Amino acid sequence: MIVVMQNGASEAQIQSVIDRMVRMNFTVHRSTGVMHTVLGGIGPEDDIDPVDFEVLEGVKEAHRIASAYKLASRPFRPGGTVVQIGNVQIGGPNVVAMAGPCSVESEEQINLSAELVAGAGAKVIRGGAFKPRSSPYSFQGLGEKGLQLLRQAADRHGLLAISEVMDQTQIPLLAEYADILQVGARNMQNFNLLKELAKLRKPVLLKRGIAATVEELLLSAEYILSGGNYDVILCERGIRTFETSTRNTMDISAIPVTKKLSHLPIIADPSHGTGRRDHVLPMARAAVAAGADGLLVEVHHDPDRALSDGAQSLRPEQFSELMQQLRIIATAVGRTV
Ligand code: PEP
Ligand code: MN
């Protein structure tokens, strides 16, 4: 149930509606917008007539939420969510670039990466320390050492840091070193992990699973939101289809679809989306033109020697070119980079 309070409703009126909802066995999540406070009630909405709320003092309107996900749905925050981390906003007018190597490999590599991505205009450095590899014989990441190196490189160059958390036992470690915890495509429906991340008060980047619908992505986000962590950023990173000419099929349409259904910011990962560096630029342009709030891009100072995902990693000069092109595309759609 969504209860939208009138513009200027008093705190006492809001509290009285919350009390009423709690008495009716709803768990209440409050969202304070520029104009209206919205109360999202999770509970027995099928048994209750929205009119029961509409007649209360200070209420503008009340309605049931038709979708299976409630707190992730657009009506909960019609104006959209802006995830604020330091002075970086994700979901605001600025298109935020998160870039760096697939994996943290060494101190030299991650420092060079931070220098070059910061120089080109990225706000966040990426780098996996725990890697979900299809083969157990592939490089698995440097673990905590990798996180330490990532943090140092980020701080040295004034960047935020994002890294993947593979299971719930790693959450404290990731929370210590990273500003954003990434849930990889393979873990989008690891519900135990999502429930633990719901208790955290740090932003989570939730990647779409390789065979997940947009609705399933939003239901996974709902696991995190319903535990009280509202700082969720979605990521389209390509899905598996019958097409074999790219590593995955980058579903650009998921961006406007998700924007309509949900208030959460959504970014795009054209690196995993295509699997080839020569396709990354066009898909990055397309994603920003389609309304993406940011990009997650793999960049390596020497991709031919990368320990993971070298073929899809941009060379430094290609990343600079991407950022220059993005400035033009972003301006065309009323955004900035
Ligand atoms: C990654 O970002 O390095 C990664 C493993 O991504 P995904 O989960 O989308 O495959
Ligand atoms: Mn990768």
Side-chain angles (χ1 to χ4, degrees):
M1 184 76 65
I2 287 280
V3 181
V4 183
M5 299 302 295
Q6 289 166 1
N7 189 5
S10 69
E11 192 52 42
Q13 288 171 333
I14 296 169
Q15 199 48 55
S16 141
V17 176
I18 293 175
D19 292 345
R20 179 72 181 264
M21 292 173 89
V22 170
R23 282 202 302 279
M24 290 168 146
N25 289 327
F26 284 95
T27 304
V28 184
H29 296 259
R30 179 176 175 166
S31 151
T32 310
V34 185
M35 298 280 277
H36 303 282
T37 291
V38 177
L39 304 174
I42 307 297
E45 66 178 359
D46 290 345
D47 308 336
I48 283 158
D49 189 338
V51 174
D52 291 348
F53 293 109
E54 278 177 343
V55 294
L56 301 178
E57 290 289 310
V59 172
K60 179 171 178 276
E61 60 193 48
H63 37 88
R64 295 193 181 100
I65 308 174
S67 55
Y69 47 88
K70 313 286 177 189
L71 303 174
S73 72
R74 175 61 74 167
F76 183 55
R77 277 194 184 155
T81 285
V82 176
V83 174
Q84 177 97 37
I85 318 165
N87 57 6
V88 175
Q89 290 189 330
I90 301 157
N94 212 26
V95 176
V96 176
M98 308 183 187
C102 178
S103 309
V104 180
E105 299 169 4
S106 68
E107 184 170 3
E108 189 203 5
Q109 174 246 21
I110 199 68
N111 275 326
L112 270 171
S113 304
E115 186 180 349
L116 78 91
V117 302
K123 298 279 194 298
V124 185
I125 181 159
R126 61 150 293 146
F130 297 98
K131 294 303 301 176
R133 306 305 302 280
S134 299
S135 163
Y137 307 120
S138 302
F139 176 59
Q140 302 286 310
L142 295 183
E144 183 169 5
K145 181 76 194 153
L147 290 173
Q148 285 167 353
L149 296 175
L150 178 71
R151 180 75 263 161
Q152 283 163 11
D155 290 344
R156 199 166 295 150
H157 295 278
L159 295 165
L160 298 174
I162 180 169
S163 199
E164 178 164 351
V165 57
M166 277 176 52
D167 71 61
Q168 57 266 46
T169 63
Q170 296 169 349
I171 293 176
L173 205 54
L174 266 292
E176 185 183 339
Y177 293 106
D179 300 293
I180 308 172
L181 278 67
Q182 173 174 327
V183 176
R186 293 158 189 82
N187 264 320
M188 188 202 84
Q189 288 189 317
N190 180 343
F191 301 117
N192 289 333
L193 174 60
L194 301 179
K195 282 180 197 166
E196 288 304 313
L197 288 169
K199 298 176 189 161
L200 193 70
R201 292 297 169 266
K202 271 207 161 183
V204 174
L205 180 88
L206 180 63
K207 293 186 115 185
R208 182 179 181 183
I210 60 169
T213 62
V214 168
E215 184 181 41
E216 286 164 339
L217 173 65
L218 293 175
L219 280 166
S220 288
E222 187 83 6
Y223 269 90
I224 306 172
L225 300 174
S226 61
N229 186 353
Y230 302 118
D231 284 342
V232 176
I233 305 154
L234 305 171
C235 181
E236 164 58 38
R237 48 77 74 206
I239 48 175
R240 189 156 292 177
T241 68
F242 51 79
E243 181 55 69
T244 53
S245 50
T246 46
R247 180 176 177 184
N248 293 292
T249 299
M250 180 101 185
D251 181 9
I252 297 285
S253 66
I255 298 164
V257 167
T258 307
K259 285 260 162 214
K260 185 146 265 177
L261 296 173
S262 176
H263 54 84
L264 294 171
I266 178 162
I267 71 165
D269 172 352
S271 307
H272 294 86
T274 62
R276 289 177 52 137
R277 79 172 69 93
D278 53 345
H279 296 325
V280 169
L281 241 95
M283 296 314 277
R285 293 194 298 254
V288 172
D293 296 299
L295 291 173
L296 183 68
V297 182
E298 288 184 342
V299 185
H300 198 285
H301 70 285
D302 186 2
D304 301 330
R305 293 212 170 85
L307 295 183
S308 60
D309 284 350
Q312 68 193 31
S313 298
L314 294 182
R315 301 184 192 285
E317 62 278 10
Q318 290 176 310
F319 181 63
S320 301
E321 189 187 347
L322 179 148
M323 292 302 289
Q324 277 162 27
Q325 293 189 2
L326 283 196
R327 288 188 184 98
I328 301 167
I329 306 276
T331 308
V333 293
R335 315 276 299 256
T336 49
V337 171

